[in-house]
Amino acid sequence: MTDASLNTEYDVVVIGAGPVGENVADRVRAAGLTAAVVEAELIGGECSYWACMPSKALLRPVVARADARRVPGLAAAVRGPLDTGAVLAHRDSYASYWKDDGQAAWLDGIGADIHRGTGRLTGEREVAVTASDGTEHRLTARHAVVLCTGSRAVVPDLPGVGTARPWTSREATSAQKVPGRLVIVGGGVVGVEMATVWQALGARVTLLVRGTGLLPKMEPFAGELVAQALTEAGADLRTGASVAAVHRPDPDGPVTVELEDGERIEADEILFATGRAPRTDGLGLETVGLEPGSWLIVDDSCRVEGSDWLYAAGDVNHRALLTHQGKYQARVAGAAIAARATGAPPLETGPWGAHAATADHAAVPQVVFTDPEAASVGLTLAEAERAGHRVRAVDYDLAAVAGSGLYADGYRGRARMVVDLDREILLGVTFVGPGIGELLHSATVAVAGEVPVHRLWHAVPAYPTISEVWLRLLETYRG
């Protein structure tokens, strides 16, 4: 392995070695540029150890059992509880036991130097790295510094929260035992996925939501169907519920959650799934005229507004807080940096659009891995109307598709496409139902590619699959 401490000058310095930072380094190295990657925690970042990978490893057995229970001839064989030890062990293996040897070897294999420690800007194209033993060394970037430090969970400043030891997404995805009683605050993606997991593993889950429903950034029916399933599974879902304080007088005892209406709920753990904030504190942003702790505004090449050398990709730019979108931005940023370093036209997109991120404006896909799954891409009906588009929502009951009945008895689900009536293209698509996550890429291609509805008519879905819903949606639209 290369001794990174021997090198102090690189073409590109990347701060943050999560999936986004790794992909930036890969792209600039492939273009022949030298690269350093600075990481204070585990190489592989939040996604690998506390988010995407462990959460989906926990959810897969839960959803597979639920699917099996709806299949004739198989349902009786899966009536028993999940093997909690096996589920947690499966999760541990997908989190690489919280060791980053494999990820570090991959970075070394592409020829990127790894600098372990906390990185911060000290001026234009300058980065100081402070190691865990307090020693410091400085790196200089000839062409670009890329900030890929991601985001952190936000815990609200409530009375008692400082001593209550609340869970965030990190603790919820890495816990080594099932809490007897779990209160979850927040009805977004983290809240509903973790409610699905821990309820299925035996916890008594209470889900507290300030608003009127779950998954507020999706079509309303998505949250309604997920809420119905969670309630049927035994979770106690309360909407319009706000937490006023939390109390845990005994560090080893239960936590009491006090609601604004005065009700108290006792639990073994409380998870706050109440949003994210950028990891930009302590990055030295003030040395280059930016505000510490702020989201960073970037152009479509992920270059920070007002700079010709500083880039920000992934969560820190607040365009789309999803791993796959961050990796997409990383590919764009790496290509743009390489083009500018070699004198190519900086925003010459060519047929691939390689130097400009456009899909994170209006074609962002997301799957929520609950039972049922919820998946969407593009704009909801409400978002499209607020944006001033003349649109029509076309809905279809997924239970009426032949493939869904074969997939599961009692299948429940719904599909919607939002059609721009002036251009006759799709602005958004939403699916809710068991097994629909794999349908989403076809919708993403339709939305990102602005495929005319009349051409989609000739994309014939295989029979009998759930994807036949595309034909039914188009038939409904044609009338």
Side-chain angles (χ1 to χ4, degrees):
M1 184 174 289
T2 304
D3 185 355
S5 65
L6 298 177
N7 298 327
T8 60
E9 188 175 38
Y10 297 88
D11 292 320
V12 180
V13 176
V14 181
I15 302 179
V20 180
E22 290 176 320
N23 273 270
V24 171
D26 187 37
R27 290 299 161 132
V28 299
R29 285 294 300 129
L33 303 181
T34 59
V37 181
V38 181
E39 177 54 56
E41 293 188 286
L42 295 174
I43 294 168
E46 201 80 11
C47 173
S48 299
Y49 307 103
W50 301 287
C52 317
M53 300 308 289
S55 66
K56 302 322 170 267
L58 287 167
L59 283 157
R60 179 58 192 148
V62 174
V63 173
R65 181 182 66 165
D67 281 345
R69 285 178 169 177
R70 292 187 283 259
V71 177
L74 183 57
V78 288
R79 289 296 177 198
L82 290 163
D83 182 337
T84 300
V87 172
L88 297 182
H90 175 65
R91 182 272 320 271
D92 292 353
S93 68
Y94 267 85
S96 300
Y97 305 97
W98 292 274
K99 296 179 180 178
D100 65 2
D101 298 7
Q103 302 270 19
W106 182 86
L107 271 181
D108 188 59
I110 66 170
D113 283 356
I114 300 169
H115 293 262
R116 300 271 188 177
T118 301
R120 70 184 188 283
L121 296 167
T122 56
E124 185 171 324
R125 295 183 173 86
E126 294 179 350
V127 174
V129 182
T130 304
S132 57
D133 62 4
T135 59
E136 181 178 291
H137 62 280
R138 294 178 180 267
L139 308 176
T140 301
R142 298 183 190 92
H143 298 293
V145 175
V146 191
L147 304 179
C148 303
T149 48
S151 63
R152 58 178 173 80
V154 172
V155 176
D157 186 16
L158 296 169
V161 77
T163 56
R165 294 184 294 104
W167 279 9
T168 67
S169 52
R170 284 198 169 194
E171 290 78 18
T173 56
S174 62
Q176 293 297 317
K177 65 178 183 179
V178 179
R181 300 160 298 174
L182 174 63
V183 168
I184 299 176
V185 184
V189 176
V190 172
V192 297
E193 288 191 344
M194 291 300 97
T196 300
V197 166
W198 293 111
Q199 179 72 35
L201 289 175
R204 296 195 299 278
V205 171
T206 301
L207 186 57
L208 304 176
V209 182
R210 291 178 62 183
T212 58
L214 304 181
L215 300 175
K217 294 184 179 181
M218 288 183 142
E219 297 284 7
F221 65 80
E224 291 165 6
L225 285 167
V226 171
Q228 180 182 355
L230 281 171
T231 301
E232 290 174 354
D236 180 5
L237 170 59
R238 307 188 190 188
T239 57
S242 295
V243 177
V246 290
H247 310 280
R248 196 193 296 259
D250 180 352
D252 298 318
V255 60
T256 300
V257 183
E258 182 180 338
L259 304 184
E260 286 189 350
D261 63 6
E263 182 183 359
R264 290 173 173 252
I265 304 170
E266 188 173 86
D268 297 289
E269 301 292 351
I270 180 170
L271 161 62
F272 283 102
T274 48
R276 310 286 297 179
R279 289 181 179 272
T280 55
D281 291 299
L283 268 183
L285 293 182
E286 68 280 0
T287 68
V288 294
L290 297 171
E291 182 183 350
S294 64
W295 301 103
L296 298 172
I297 300 172
V298 300
D299 63 19
D300 281 349
S301 68
C302 296
R303 188 164 57 177
V304 173
E305 191 175 70
S307 174
D308 64 356
W309 60 273
L310 184 63
Y311 292 72
D315 283 12
V316 287
N317 64 35
H318 207 231
R319 287 164 69 111
L321 276 66
L322 295 161
T323 296
H324 47 274
Q325 291 298 131
K327 292 165 72 172
Y328 163 70
Q329 292 174 10
R331 296 190 292 271
V332 168
I337 291 166
R340 288 169 175 145
T342 57
L347 289 179
E348 179 63 30
T349 61
W352 285 81
H355 305 158
T358 56
D360 53 6
H361 294 305
V364 176
Q366 181 173 22
V367 179
V368 184
F369 293 85
T370 44
D371 174 39
E373 291 177 341
S376 66
V377 62
L379 304 180
T380 64
L381 174 61
E383 288 170 339
E385 290 175 337
R386 284 197 298 269
H389 298 287
R390 193 171 68 92
V391 293
R392 175 186 166 194
V394 181
D395 291 358
Y396 200 80
D397 181 0
L398 272 166
V401 177
S404 64
L406 290 168
Y407 188 91
D409 275 0
Y411 192 101
R412 288 184 301 197
R414 186 172 170 185
R416 168 174 287 178
M417 64 182 191
V418 178
V419 183
D420 183 323
L421 294 174
D422 294 319
R423 294 188 291 164
E424 284 219 311
I425 62 171
L426 304 186
L427 296 180
V429 181
T430 299
F431 302 114
V432 184
I436 53 77
E438 297 299 337
L439 285 181
L440 188 62
H441 193 60
S442 59
T444 304
V445 170
V447 173
E450 298 185 348
V451 181
V453 173
H454 73 266
R455 288 303 306 157
L456 289 175
W457 182 255
H458 299 283
V460 182
Y463 180 87
T465 65
I466 301 174
S467 63
E468 194 184 20
V469 70
W470 277 110
L471 173 59
R472 304 308 170 205
L473 286 166
L474 292 166
E475 287 176 334
T476 304
Y477 176 67
R478 291 182 66 175

